[in-house]
């Protein structure tokens, strides 16, 4: 975060720098540098504290929901659909090959956006991105709300089942293109999410931005599964280098950040105490700083569960490490008055703390041997097992 450097947002893959800035309500730079907003100590503390608190929510609850996903995945695709019903809700397993390629893909995406903003009109690009993230945000927020809606939905109201089915061809060559099952509860969630989406699309209000941002982050932590700890180390290590290079080595990330308008960051106004909900000078935290460490923390929670010791040692140690790393990022940024790549501090903390705990407990080898089966393989094994039983 930096009061001297005004950066309104982060790019999707580049959303991993912590920034404190002076911007207007649309995220554009203040034109009069001499009249730049100076946050009060109370406003700064409130903004920092709120960002940290919001960052912890999707990591904590996303990790808990990832355990449910993992258990359902082990039961096989058919049983999984009985709870979530749609393959789009199945967790995506990240392998070591995926992890090694991800920083390269992220760098290409970032540089591609940089070229797009240099060549094409920023206004039209952001219009397309707004529509794109509107659709994604509505779906993500709807999925996030589903468990809560299942609990509070009145029993007296009928919960009807629906199915959206698109097929191609006929007879034996018929192929499913879309097969989406939903019910009345899902429709209510979709309606509420659509209202938030329209609010964001029309006003770009910071609360609507945060609702979408939290939904994206929680879904990411819940549905993106690392297959083992080694893969997590490869991913975090690669993005550590990526983050440092693009923040300190070039102006590409800053250029894209100044041009990009999308709910891929959490924001909180520093002038909330003075202006209320109409405040427009924001501190920001990219979703990359939440999701990337978050999926590693979620993996450690699933490892804790696999040990069957009724203990969450590795989850809590990594969770506390995240708080420490993010706090250190804010401290360094505030001390040197310069935007910081948060993964520079989060990666060593989130990897180092659990490894030290594992060394003390003598479980380091067991931690690195822990392996999760991809959802596709789990479904295949389940189908094969069912077929064998049928044959017998």
């Amino acid at each position: 975060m930096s009061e001297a450097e005004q950066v309104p947002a982060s790019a999707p893959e580049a959303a991993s720098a912590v920034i404190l800035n002076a911007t207007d309500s649309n995220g554009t730079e203040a034109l009069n540098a001499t009249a730049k907003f100076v946050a009060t100590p109370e406003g700064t503390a409130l903004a920092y504290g709120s960002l940290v608190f919001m960052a912890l929510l999707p990591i904590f609850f996303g990790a808990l929901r990832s355990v449910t996903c993992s258990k359902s995945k082990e039961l096989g695709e058919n049983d999984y659909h009985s709870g979530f019903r749609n393959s789009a809700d199945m967790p995506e397993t990240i392998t070591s090959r995926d992890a090694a390629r991800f920083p390269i893909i992220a760098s290409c995406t970032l540089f591609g956006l940089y070229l797009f903003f240099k060549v094409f009109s920023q206004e039209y690009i952001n219009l397309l991105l707004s529509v794109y993230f509107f659709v994604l945000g509505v779906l993500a927020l709807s999925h996030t709300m589903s468990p809560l809606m299942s609990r509070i939905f009145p029993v007296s109201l009928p919960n009807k089942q629906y199915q959206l089915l698109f097929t191609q061809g006929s007879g034996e060559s018929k192929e499913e293109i879309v097969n989406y099952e939903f019910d009345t509860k899902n429709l209510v969630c979709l309606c509420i999410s659509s209202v938030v989406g329209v609010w964001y699309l029309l006003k770009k209000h910071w609360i609507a931005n945060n609702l979408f941002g939290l939904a994206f982050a929680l879904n990411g932590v819940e549905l993106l599964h690392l297959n083992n700890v080694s893969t997590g180390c490869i991913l975090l290590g690669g993005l550590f280098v990526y983050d440092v290079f693009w923040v300190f080595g070039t102006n590409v990330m800053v250029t894209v950040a100044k041009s990009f308008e999308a709910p891929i960051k959490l924001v909180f106004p520093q002038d909330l105490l003075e202006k209320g909900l109409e405040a427009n000078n924001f501190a920001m935290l990219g979703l990359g700083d939440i999701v990337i460490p978050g999926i590693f923390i979620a993996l450690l929670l699933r490892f804790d569960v696999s040990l069957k010791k009724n203990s969450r040692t590795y989850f809590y140690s990594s969770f506390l490490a995240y708080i420490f790393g993010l706090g250190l990022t804010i401290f360094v940024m505030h001390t040197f008055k310069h935007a910081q790549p948060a993964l520079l501090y989060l990666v060593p903390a989130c990897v180092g703390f659990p490894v030290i705990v594992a060394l003390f407990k003598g479980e380091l080898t067991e931690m690195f041997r822990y392996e999760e089966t991809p959802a596709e393989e789990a479904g295949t094994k389940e189908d094969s097992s069912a077929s064998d039983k049928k044959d017998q």
Side-chain angles (χ1 to χ4, degrees), residues 140-155:
L141 187 58
S142 180
H143 179 263
T144 301
M145 294 171 55
S146 292
L148 176 62
M149 184 59 64
S150 297
R151 294 186 178 185
I152 65 174
F153 192 81
V155 181

Side-chain angles (χ1 to χ4, degrees), residues 22 80 156 231 240 245 271 299 324 359 365 390:
Y80 189 86
S156 58
T231 299
F240 173 91
F245 173 76
D271 53 346
L299 171 67
F324 170 78
L359 281 172
T365 302
K390 185 176 180 180

Side-chain angles (χ1 to χ4, degrees), residues 73-96:
K73 178 177 67 176
E74 292 171 2
L75 294 175
E77 189 174 353
N78 293 331
D79 290 330
Y80 189 86
H81 284 183
S82 67
F84 291 82
R85 296 190 303 281
N86 297 291
S87 58
D89 296 330
M90 292 183 67
E92 182 72 26
T93 301
I94 301 174
T95 64
S96 57

Side-chain angles (χ1 to χ4, degrees), residues 64-79:
L64 294 178
R65 288 173 61 158
S66 78
V67 174
T68 304
C69 277
S70 183
K71 289 179 179 178
S72 301
K73 178 177 67 176
E74 292 171 2
L75 294 175
E77 189 174 353
N78 293 331
D79 290 330

Side-chain angles (χ1 to χ4, degrees), residues 228-230 303 363-372:
N228 56 49
V229 174
S230 296
F303 172 63
E363 296 176 339
L364 186 62
T365 302
E366 192 172 358
M367 174 192 284
F368 277 88
R369 284 180 178 175
Y370 173 69
E371 187 87 20
E372 290 191 354

Side-chain angles (χ1 to χ4, degrees), residues 227-249:
N227 66 343
N228 56 49
V229 174
S230 296
T231 299
C233 292
I234 293 171
L235 179 65
L236 268 66
L239 289 176
F240 173 91
V241 175
Y242 159 89
D243 208 21
V244 173
F245 173 76
W246 288 111
V247 171
F248 288 145

Side-chain angles (χ1 to χ4, degrees), residues 77-377:
E77 189 174 353
N78 293 331
D79 290 330
Y80 189 86
H81 284 183
S82 67
F84 291 82
R85 296 190 303 281
N86 297 291
S87 58
D89 296 330
M90 292 183 67
E92 182 72 26
T93 301
I94 301 174
T95 64
S96 57
R97 179 178 296 183
D98 298 327
R101 290 186 299 191
F102 191 81
I104 300 173
I105 295 172
S107 295
C108 293
T109 302
L110 177 64
F111 191 67
L113 284 170
Y114 173 78
L115 295 178
F116 263 94
F117 281 116
K118 286 292 185 180
V119 175
F120 300 103
S121 171
Q122 176 180 331
E123 179 182 355
Y124 293 116
I125 294 175
N126 280 319
L127 178 62
L128 291 175
L129 290 174
S130 294
V131 175
Y132 175 70
F133 279 100
F134 164 78
V135 175
L136 289 184
V138 168
L139 295 176
L141 187 58
S142 180
H143 179 263
T144 301
M145 294 171 55
S146 292
L148 176 62
M149 184 59 64
S150 297
R151 294 186 178 185
I152 65 174
F153 192 81
V155 181
S156 58
L157 294 179
N159 184 34
K160 297 181 179 180
Q161 302 295 319
Y162 304 92
Q163 182 179 24
L164 183 63
L165 179 63
F166 286 98
T167 61
Q168 179 179 335
S170 60
E172 295 181 357
S173 62
K174 182 180 290 186
E175 180 183 358
E176 286 187 2
I177 305 300
V178 175
N179 187 359
Y180 194 86
E181 299 179 23
F182 55 97
D183 55 26
T184 305
K185 298 175 186 177
N186 298 130
L187 287 177
V188 173
C189 292
L190 192 64
C191 290
I192 296 174
S193 301
S194 298
V195 171
V196 176
V198 172
W199 182 25
Y200 172 77
L201 202 60
L202 297 179
K203 299 294 184 180
K204 294 292 194 296
H205 197 276
W206 62 273
I207 294 180
N209 174 92
N210 286 348
L211 289 174
F212 274 175
L214 288 170
F216 285 140
L218 192 146
N219 279 276
V221 175
E222 176 189 358
L223 298 176
L224 291 176
H225 288 197
L226 296 164
N227 66 343
N228 56 49
V229 174
S230 296
T231 299
C233 292
I234 293 171
L235 179 65
L236 268 66
L239 289 176
F240 173 91
V241 175
Y242 159 89
D243 208 21
V244 173
F245 173 76
W246 288 111
V247 171
F248 288 145
T250 73
N251 70 334
V252 172
M253 185 179 288
V254 173
T255 302
V256 173
K258 289 180 178 180
S259 308
F260 200 91
E261 293 180 16
I264 42 76
K265 76 278 183 186
L266 298 180
V267 301
F268 198 88
Q270 305 165 65
D271 53 346
L272 181 68
L273 300 177
E274 292 83 6
K275 298 183 180 180
L277 295 180
E278 299 304 318
N280 56 12
N281 293 279
F282 299 103
M284 304 183 184
L285 177 65
L287 295 189
D289 296 330
I290 301 172
V291 176
I292 300 303
I295 60 177
F296 186 75
I297 294 171
L299 171 67
L300 294 179
L301 175 59
R302 297 193 297 275
F303 172 63
D304 277 325
V305 173
S306 73
L307 294 176
K308 299 178 181 179
K309 294 182 178 180
N310 293 323
S311 171
R312 301 293 181 265
T313 304
Y314 296 104
F315 171 66
Y316 289 126
S317 63
S318 58
F319 192 73
L320 291 175
Y322 179 85
I323 297 174
F324 170 78
L326 191 56
L328 182 60
T329 305
I330 293 173
F331 172 77
V332 174
M333 178 280 309
H334 195 68
T335 301
F336 294 98
K337 305 297 181 184
H338 191 282
Q340 297 295 313
L343 294 182
L344 175 64
Y345 309 95
L346 291 172
V347 170
C350 291
V351 174
F353 278 43
V355 168
I356 292 173
V357 172
L359 281 172
F360 274 106
K361 297 186 68 176
E363 296 176 339
L364 186 62
T365 302
E366 192 172 358
M367 174 192 284
F368 277 88
R369 284 180 178 175
Y370 173 69
E371 187 87 20
E372 290 191 354
T373 305
E376 296 81 1
E377 293 182 18

